Amino acid sequence: MQELLQMLKSKTEKLHLGGGLDKIQKLKEKGKLTAWERVFLLLDPDTPYVEVGKFAGEGLYAEHGGCPNGGVAVVIGHVSQKLCVIVSNDATVKAGAWFPITAKKTLRAQEIAMENRIPIVYLVDSAGVYLPMQEEIFPDKEHFGRVFRNNAKLSSMGIPQISAIMGSCVAGGAYLPIMSDYALIVEGTGSVFLAGSYLVKSSIGEVIDNETLGGAQTHCEISGVTDNKYPDDESCLQAIRNIVDKFGDQPKANYSRIAPVEPAYGHDFIPTYLPADRLKPYDMREILKALVDAGSMEEYKRDYGKTIICTLARIDGWAVGIVANQREMVKAKKAGNANEMQMGGVIYSDSADKAARFIMNCNQQRIPLVFLQDVTGFMVGSRSEHGGIIKDGAKMVNAMANSVVPKFTFIVGNSYGAGNYAMCGKAYDPRLIYAWPTAQMAVMSGASAGKTLLQIDDAAMKSKGINLDDEARKKRLSTIEEQYNAQLSPYYAAARLWVDGVIDPRETRGIISLGIEAANQNPEIQRYNVGVIQV
């Protein structure tokens, strides 16, 4: 575990270097701050923040030089004591150009602002769409154009948007700041235009420099496109803080919160207790004692459906309902006083039934839900099928998918197959979803997938009249498992924004607290309705 945490720390530190020290130096020579320096100057000092999309783009686009952290920093944090989403382009990564993952990450930031009704701040420093990959970023529904559609939607919802043009802002990207409520610009470095001087010359033959075409003086004094100009990044960021400072308070959802209490177990308990080996059992209740406020757990149906733990609790004072996979082997009572041993991490009919009812209770009582995944899937075999595992699983998925209270998901260990879905995977709209370094996400485990894929390979080879000997089959199995296991990595998931990042388990409590604080800003809670539910 310590090795995994050290790897996480090392990877995180590299993200703040963006495109590298030489690119940062060039940025400094222009009098500009880095993407992260801008974020930290904007945030209230010594207040917690949550990074979203950490490791986005990792390992992607190698043939194009890579796109560390998706070329943009995204955080949720306090600006002038108001919770905001901040989107800060990293000009050290391909001059801030938008790769497909950049668009996906920016859309995620806007989604968070919409879900929680909190202001969003764009610190713009971008050369626009990365042209060599334009077909993967320009035309589709969830591509670049969706950002400007969201600008309009955010405005119609009354959610404040502030943009600071702190570098290039070109072509279609020019609409993002100008569709915001406030558009500020930095003198000398900020510029905004639909077409730069080179394109203007080639298109209409006009010869003009970029500053005259779309610099701070032009847009503040002539066109009125931007509101005010500022001599440097620092003064522009202070202006944003001054604007946010004037925002009035909005109605709240009023989720229950009392004075926080520290957990029963210390800060370092989880890294020393949780086994790094995904096959080893452990007691999830012990993990919970390190996350929830001491003495706050009130477990639901403790002696029934034991492979899922459902409990009311408080985290940093906030009331939550927790749905967590139990990884210990448990003994279940059956009719006739018989006992059945159930495998930890597997969802059985009784545990699915219990979880569905608990989720419905939390929705009726307006209690946010927290899911802790370490799940290998639903129980298989004739006994489970005859017992109706599919309908019980469908009941749980229905209750969870239609949830109207905020949901937060953490992948502690395994996240396989339909277990990922039932425990509120990314497809089920958790407000935030993070993976621990011990997480593994796929349709099934590497060992199971390897054997299954090898059988498919064998059948294909035999159809061609080729029979592999044992040595060849062993080598093929090793290759398949190696490829598959690479895709199980939490960083593989984070690179593609299947999760919002990989975190130290000790960050979990703070993320839940800030996440519920953000959710509390949106008072609109729909009526809970599960529709037709399986019985």
Side-chain angles (χ1 to χ4, degrees):
M1 177 61 82
Q2 293 306 321
E3 288 178 7
L4 290 175
L5 292 176
Q6 185 55 46
M7 179 193 298
L8 172 62
K9 182 181 178 183
S10 176
K11 283 176 173 286
T12 301
E13 289 171 350
K14 287 180 181 177
L15 291 182
H16 286 232
L17 296 177
L21 291 172
D22 57 332
K23 299 287 179 64
I24 291 176
Q25 181 59 36
K26 289 178 182 177
L27 206 68
K28 296 293 186 183
E29 289 169 1
K30 296 177 183 177
K32 295 162 73 173
L33 298 174
T34 67
W36 279 103
E37 286 173 336
R38 290 166 177 168
V39 167
F40 291 137
L41 268 178
L42 191 57
L43 289 171
D44 293 347
D46 303 319
T47 57
Y49 69 91
V50 171
E51 185 178 352
V52 177
K54 184 191 287 190
F55 304 116
E58 178 167 295
L60 303 181
Y61 321 121
E63 67 277 22
H64 297 277
C67 185
N69 213 25
V72 59
V74 174
V75 304
I76 308 169
H78 294 89
V79 177
S80 295
Q81 299 180 32
K82 300 287 193 303
L83 206 54
C84 299
V85 179
I86 303 171
V87 181
S88 182
N89 294 120
D90 191 342
T92 68
V93 180
K94 286 286 193 294
W98 287 54
F99 283 73
I101 198 67
T102 315
K104 189 173 184 179
K105 187 169 176 178
T106 304
L107 290 172
R108 176 70 176 129
Q110 292 179 319
E111 178 184 48
I112 290 169
M114 289 181 186
E115 285 179 331
N116 299 294
R117 302 292 196 274
I118 58 177
I120 184 167
V121 179
Y122 309 98
L123 307 180
V124 185
D125 194 345
S126 171
V129 168
Y130 183 61
L131 289 177
M133 300 189 72
Q134 67 87 25
E135 79 282 4
E136 296 181 44
I137 185 176
F138 170 68
D140 210 348
K141 180 179 178 179
E142 299 293 334
H143 283 180
F144 192 52
R146 188 80 171 181
V147 172
F148 317 129
R149 175 264 191 194
N150 285 353
N151 284 140
K153 289 291 185 182
L154 282 155
S155 182
S156 72
M157 294 165 71
I159 299 170
Q161 298 177 87
I162 304 174
S163 286
I165 301 163
M166 313 184 88
S168 298
C169 187
V170 184
Y175 288 108
L176 184 149
I178 309 311
M179 291 183 75
S180 300
D181 302 303
Y182 297 88
L184 318 181
I185 189 167
V186 177
E187 294 179 281
T189 55
S191 60
V192 55
F193 33 65
L194 293 182
S197 56
Y198 292 131
L199 184 55
V200 166
K201 183 178 180 180
S202 65
S203 298
I204 63 173
E206 181 183 3
V207 178
I208 189 171
D209 65 88
N210 282 336
E211 184 62 28
T212 306
L213 181 67
Q217 186 173 11
T218 295
H219 285 311
C220 287
E221 299 178 16
I222 300 173
S223 72
V225 165
T226 52
D227 304 338
N228 288 307
K229 59 184 184 291
Y230 301 88
D232 50 39
D233 285 6
E234 290 86 348
S235 56
C236 186
L237 293 167
Q238 184 56 49
I240 295 172
R241 291 182 54 81
N242 290 342
I243 291 168
V244 175
D245 177 63
K246 312 303 185 294
F247 291 167
D249 282 335
Q250 299 291 335
K252 301 291 190 291
N254 293 318
Y255 297 117
S256 173
R257 192 182 197 190
I258 62 174
V261 176
E262 287 298 309
Y265 291 169
H267 188 64
D268 293 326
F269 174 78
I270 294 176
T272 56
Y273 175 74
L274 182 68
D277 184 347
R278 299 303 347 114
L279 297 176
K280 288 186 177 179
Y282 62 91
D283 187 351
M284 179 62 85
R285 286 188 184 86
E286 294 296 287
I287 298 291
L288 295 181
K289 290 175 185 175
L291 294 176
V292 307
D293 294 9
S296 68
M297 280 204 293
E298 187 60 43
E299 195 165 339
Y300 178 75
K301 293 183 184 286
R302 182 185 176 100
D303 297 322
Y304 177 76
K306 295 180 182 178
T307 64
I308 289 184
I309 297 169
C310 297
T311 184
L312 298 175
R314 289 192 181 273
I315 292 179
D316 199 33
W318 292 104
V320 295
I322 298 173
V323 181
N325 300 112
Q326 174 60 289
R327 278 298 309 274
E328 284 191 324
M329 185 80 76
V330 299
K331 186 183 293 184
K333 286 277 188 183
K334 295 299 175 184
N337 212 31
N339 288 325
E340 175 187 77
M341 296 307 295
Q342 295 183 342
M343 292 182 286
V346 177
I347 302 175
Y348 291 77
S349 284
D350 54 358
S351 50
D353 179 67
K354 176 175 83 171
R357 174 66 183 272
F358 179 74
I359 289 166
M360 288 189 276
N361 282 355
C362 289
N363 273 273
Q364 294 280 31
Q365 294 136 26
R366 292 173 58 139
I367 303 171
L369 287 160
V370 175
F371 293 83
L372 295 176
Q373 290 194 13
D374 196 345
V375 57
T376 51
F378 287 86
M379 189 58 191
V380 297
S382 61
R383 185 172 181 177
S384 291
E385 298 292 0
H386 297 170
I389 185 65
I390 295 176
K391 68 178 176 62
D392 288 320
K395 185 194 306 181
M396 180 179 174
V397 171
N398 191 329
M400 180 274 303
N402 283 300
S403 178
V404 295
V405 295
K407 304 188 293 278
F408 302 90
T409 301
F410 297 86
I411 303 173
V412 173
N414 302 323
S415 179
Y416 295 151
N420 170 280
Y421 301 158
M423 293 293 294
C424 195
K426 183 66 181 287
Y428 293 85
D429 303 316
R431 294 292 177 96
L432 296 170
I433 176 170
Y434 287 89
W436 290 6
T438 43
Q440 294 184 339
M441 190 189 309
V443 172
M444 62 184 76
S445 70
S448 297
K451 291 170 185 174
T452 303
L453 291 168
L454 184 62
Q455 289 177 36
I456 295 170
D457 264 12
D458 276 352
M461 298 292 272
K462 285 176 182 176
S463 69
K464 298 175 183 177
I466 302 170
N467 288 306
L468 297 176
D469 60 29
D470 288 346
E471 188 59 35
R473 291 181 81 258
K474 185 177 179 181
K475 186 175 180 181
R476 178 63 183 143
L477 177 61
S478 177
T479 301
I480 291 171
E481 287 185 349
E482 186 177 333
Q483 292 172 343
Y484 195 87
N485 284 333
Q487 297 177 10
L488 290 173
S489 164
Y491 298 103
Y492 189 92
R496 291 153 180 81
L497 283 176
W498 302 343
V499 295
D500 289 320
V502 183
I503 60 165
D504 186 317
R506 292 168 288 198
E507 297 177 66
T508 305
R509 186 174 153 90
I511 289 173
I512 294 169
S513 179
L514 197 70
I516 299 178
E517 182 185 348
N520 200 44
Q521 309 306 306
N522 182 1
E524 296 181 17
I525 304 174
Q526 299 173 351
R527 180 177 175 274
Y528 186 51
N529 180 13
V530 294
V532 177
I533 197 159
Q534 295 291 331
V535 294

